Amino acid sequence: MKIAITGKGGVGKTTLAAMLSYLYVRAGRRVIAVDADPDANLASALGLSQSQIKDIKPIAEMSELIEQRTGSKPGSMGGVFKLNPRVDDIPEACSIDINGIKLLVMGKSKEASSGCYCPENVFLKRLLRHIVLDPDMVVIVDMEAGIEHLTRGTAEAVDAFVVVVEPGSRSLQTARTIKEMAKTLGVKNVFVAASKIRDAADLDFIKENIEGMKLIGHISFSPDIVRADINAAPPFLHAPSAVTEAEMIKKSIEEAIER
């Protein structure tokens, strides 16, 4: 199972990514969780302390490695460099084990947002494609509100593209934009997971505004999740009702893919 999770900042996508990672490990699967959001918070949601997080060096900042593999210095534009650098050893060498989950923090190349075909951008995309195509791993990718790290080959290999939304017009507008972006890369399954749901009215509002996307479940607003965040603790271990709801989302994704 390869699942990419995206959505507007602050909607709860990282919480869902962390919970799904733990659920698959609990089910006995080998899991790699990829933090592809420049505002990297997945390590915290998985349970690392702030002191441990400070020691993590994102792949995009490994200048010597990227230069060695691509033949060009990160940050450089133009010139000649390898478009298919070796990356097969990176997941094992550069990941961090958190309770059986392998975490890989991608980071972001400085020029990536401008569409730069620079060495680090090429390296990150190549790495993500390699990870997603690994047949032996469950892959959970926590993405920013977009598809920057995806190429067509990567997108076509993703089983489920999950857009997390909260009850709000801006969140739903972001979801609709992401849906159109995903179409251009051939993503077949774009689902919506609702977050921070307080009552039936919240859920009805989302159902009425997702424009043809399939709602695969929701996570209710939870004081337990808030407290876990305050205490820098993994919600999976401190918000049991949310874990149950995440389990239902996992089941819905799997059933939708099987069809």
Side-chain angles (χ1 to χ4, degrees):
M1 184 65 71
K2 320 296 179 184
I3 304 171
I5 301 176
T6 186
K8 189 177 75 69
V11 296
K13 64 183 180 61
T14 299
T15 296
L16 179 59
M19 286 191 172
L20 288 175
S21 297
Y22 269 110
L23 286 170
Y24 275 107
V25 163
R26 190 171 71 179
R29 303 299 301 275
R30 296 174 61 221
V31 175
I32 184 162
V34 182
D35 196 337
D37 189 338
D39 184 21
N41 291 303
L42 187 53
S44 177
L46 289 172
L48 284 192
S49 67
Q50 288 303 308
S51 61
Q52 291 172 312
I53 292 171
K54 287 179 181 178
D55 293 333
I56 298 175
K57 188 172 185 179
I59 303 297
E61 296 177 14
M62 297 182 180
S63 302
E64 291 184 6
L65 173 66
I66 295 172
E67 183 174 4
Q68 179 188 55
R69 298 298 174 88
T70 65
S72 185
K73 188 175 181 179
S76 61
M77 298 179 65
V80 177
F81 52 87
K82 295 178 183 178
L83 298 180
N84 59 342
R86 182 191 172 197
V87 295
D88 61 294
D89 59 330
I90 301 300
E92 187 64 34
C94 300
S95 62
I96 301 157
D97 188 277
I98 307 173
N99 298 322
I101 299 165
K102 288 187 176 296
L103 170 66
L104 196 65
V105 179
M106 301 286 275
K108 182 177 181 179
S109 59
K110 294 179 180 178
E111 282 79 23
S113 60
S114 63
C116 167
Y117 215 51
C118 50
E120 58 267 48
N121 201 20
V122 168
F123 191 79
L124 292 179
K125 288 187 176 184
R126 172 76 173 169
L127 176 58
L128 183 56
R129 186 172 190 271
H130 170 76
I131 293 168
V132 168
L133 291 176
D134 187 334
D136 299 322
M137 300 287 286
V138 170
V139 180
I140 310 293
V141 186
D142 182 14
M143 304 187 69
E144 61 183 323
I147 55 176
E148 179 174 294
H149 285 308
L150 294 184
T151 62
R152 175 167 288 275
T154 307
E156 290 175 346
V158 170
D159 295 304
F161 203 78
V162 180
V163 187
V164 180
V165 300
E166 62 184 359
S169 298
R170 288 187 294 275
S171 173
L172 288 161
Q173 178 57 50
T174 298
R176 292 189 288 269
T177 301
I178 291 171
K179 177 187 176 184
E180 294 306 311
M181 295 168 68
K183 275 185 180 179
T184 66
L185 287 181
V187 176
K188 297 176 182 177
N189 299 304
V190 181
F191 304 129
V192 169
S195 180
K196 302 181 182 178
I197 300 301
R198 298 162 297 182
D199 51 34
D202 280 349
L203 208 52
D204 288 342
F205 173 75
I206 288 173
K207 289 176 181 178
E208 292 166 2
N209 289 279
I210 56 177
E211 296 188 2
M213 289 180 281
K214 179 180 177 60
L215 181 65
I216 55 170
H218 73 275
I219 292 181
S220 303
F221 177 82
S222 168
D224 291 334
I225 292 178
V226 175
R227 279 192 292 271
D229 187 28
I230 291 172
N231 296 322
F236 184 81
L237 301 179
H238 297 274
S241 61
V243 172
T244 299
E245 292 170 335
E247 180 78 69
M248 295 174 66
I249 290 173
K250 172 179 174 289
K251 182 178 179 181
S252 294
I253 292 172
E254 292 167 349
E255 290 177 348
I257 299 304
E258 289 173 0
R259 293 196 191 101

